[in-house]
Structures are given as structure tokens and as C-alpha cells.
Amino acid sequence: MQLPTERELAATIDHAILKPDLTRTDVDAELDIAAQWGVFSVCVRPSDIAYAVRRLDGTGVAVGTVIGFPHGTTSTTAKVAETIRAFEDGATECDMVLNIGALRSGFDDVVADDIRAVVDAAGGRITKVILETSLLDDEQIARGSRLTEAGGADFVKTSTGFAGGGATVPHVRLMRENVGAPVQVKASGGVRSLDTALAMLDAGATRLGTSASATILGELRAIHAGETASGAVDESSY
């Protein structure tokens, strides 16, 4: 694929700030990284939403959060309540973990109803559904993707990053193949280098979840800087 500009790549990134042991100082540092690099959004812990909204005010960086994270096993009622509160606190998007056990059990109605309830609670705001692909086989990933679309969500997403595995190119392709064009794919978990980020986008992802935004965008900046320097040398040789 053609190398994107730094702004184009930054516009695909949800900078993840989700580790349970992060202190306020750690969160501040990550929010500053997001603002410095101009990523699309941060994805923060629910308890950090209101603070992140205040701190990022005026930067152009949106604030998203997670629902039923990281296991997806909270009740639908709890997920709905969490979703409502998240948007009241200022979130603009949410990434919910579907009921993984229900999906593996073949309880498709339970999964779709769970998704639909959160989508309804989001009231038209962007909702992404995390499948946790490392715990699923290909049939389950394909079915989970279709149920995500059936539930009315905007994105299907690979992983939380907390289940011992992350996004893979084959899984992103499989997800892309099993949803219609209006549903987008988010690759998350293990996206820590420019090469990996570009591979996920080439496979069909349109959003990347990563805590390595500075590394990825820094690599791209260095490449573009090298191209500019090479062009300048070539021009001066005429």
C-alpha cells in the first residue's frame, strides 16, 4: 500500500490508555502523547473519561472508552448503565466486549441482543464490538462479525490486548469479509510498529488500537524526513 502521510495515519489511531495499574501521572503522560501526535482519539478507562475530556479540551483528540472490559461477562444491564454514564462523562465512542462465552456456546440471540442494547444506549454514537479473537476459532470470528453487524454496531474489533493475543492479518481479513461495507474493522492488540500498522490497514482495518502511537508515528516521520532529505540532495545536484 502507498505510504500514508503522518496526519492520515494519526487519524486512524485510538491511543490506548487502559492498563489497570496506570497512575494519574502515567495517564497524564499518555494523554500528552496523544495530543502531541494528533491521534484521532484516546481510549481510556471509564473512570478516566471526565478527566481526559478536560485535559484534552482544545486539542482535537476525541475521548473513547471501554464497556464490559476486558472479559465481556458483565450483564447487559450493567453494560447499558456503563454506556450511558460514559457518554454523560463526555466520551464520544465506546468499545464494548461482547459476551465471549455466549458466542462460543452458539447463543447468537444473546450476543446480538447484548450488542443491540449497548448500541441503543449509545444513542447514535460510535459503538465498536470487541470479539477477543485469540479466544475464538475462525467460524466464531466470522459469526461474531456478522452478529456485530446484526446488532447495529459501527465497528467490529479484534482484541482487548489483555487475553494473551492480539490482532492478526488473517483475522482482520476474515472480519472484513464477514461484514458489509458500512461496518468498519478495528485492529487492536499487538499493533506496535509501523509495519504492523500498515499491514492491518492493508488487510481492511480502518482504525488501530495501540499504546505505541509515538513509536508508530515516529517511524513514519523518520521515513518521510529521509525522503525529504533525499529529495533535497537530488534537487541541489542539478
Side-chain angles (χ1 to χ4, degrees), residues 125-145:
R125 272 84 51 116
I126 296 293
T127 304
K128 312 185 196 85
V129 177
I130 305 170
L131 301 187
E132 203 65 280
T133 50
S134 64
L135 302 181
L136 307 174
D137 61 28
D138 284 358
E139 185 279 330
Q140 292 162 348
I141 293 169
R143 184 159 43 87
S145 299

Side-chain angles (χ1 to χ4, degrees), residues 32-55:
D32 289 346
I33 288 171
Q36 175 189 344
W37 289 95
V39 299
F40 179 81
S41 77
V42 292
C43 189
V44 301
R45 301 171 299 194
S47 58
D48 293 327
I49 296 169
Y51 178 76
V53 169
R54 292 193 301 271
R55 187 172 176 89

Side-chain angles (χ1 to χ4, degrees), residues 163-185:
T168 69
V169 165
H171 285 165
V172 169
R173 286 181 178 148
L174 181 61
M175 293 159 69
R176 180 66 270 164
E177 291 166 358
N178 279 276
V179 294
V183 180
Q184 300 180 62
V185 178

Side-chain angles (χ1 to χ4, degrees), residues 22-233:
L22 294 176
T23 65
R24 177 54 60 84
T25 299
D26 296 330
V27 170
D28 284 344
E30 295 299 323
L31 294 173
D32 289 346
I33 288 171
Q36 175 189 344
W37 289 95
V39 299
F40 179 81
S41 77
V42 292
C43 189
V44 301
R45 301 171 299 194
S47 58
D48 293 327
I49 296 169
Y51 178 76
V53 169
R54 292 193 301 271
R55 187 172 176 89
L56 290 173
D57 184 41
T59 66
V61 178
V63 176
T65 193
V66 286
I67 304 296
F69 195 86
H71 300 127
T73 53
T74 47
S75 68
T76 299
T77 300
K79 289 179 181 177
V80 166
E82 195 172 15
T83 302
I84 292 170
R85 179 57 188 268
F87 289 114
E88 287 176 348
D89 284 348
T92 58
E93 299 185 352
C94 69
D95 295 24
M96 69 165 289
V97 187
L98 59 63
N99 189 319
I100 301 164
L103 178 65
R104 286 169 51 86
S105 298
F107 300 156
D108 290 5
D109 288 346
V110 172
V111 175
D113 289 348
D114 189 54
I115 293 169
R116 191 174 295 107
V118 171
V119 170
D120 289 346
R125 272 84 51 116
I126 296 293
T127 304
K128 312 185 196 85
V129 177
I130 305 170
L131 301 187
E132 203 65 280
T133 50
S134 64
L135 302 181
L136 307 174
D137 61 28
D138 284 358
E139 185 279 330
Q140 292 162 348
I141 293 169
R143 184 159 43 87
S145 299
R146 294 192 295 271
L147 291 170
T148 293
E149 183 168 25
D154 303 281
F155 281 79
V156 60
K157 175 179 170 181
T158 55
S159 318
T160 64
F162 290 85
T168 69
V169 165
H171 285 165
V172 169
R173 286 181 178 148
L174 181 61
M175 293 159 69
R176 180 66 270 164
E177 291 166 358
N178 279 276
V179 294
V183 180
Q184 300 180 62
V185 178
K186 177 175 174 178
S188 184
V191 183
R192 300 189 184 96
S193 70
L194 177 61
D195 284 347
T196 302
L198 295 178
M200 296 302 168
L201 295 173
D202 191 50
T206 53
R207 197 80 69 86
L208 305 172
T210 181
S211 59
S213 305
T215 297
I216 292 167
L217 292 168
E219 289 179 32
L220 181 62
R221 179 177 291 181
I223 291 171
H224 283 310
E227 290 175 348
T228 300
S230 297
V233 170

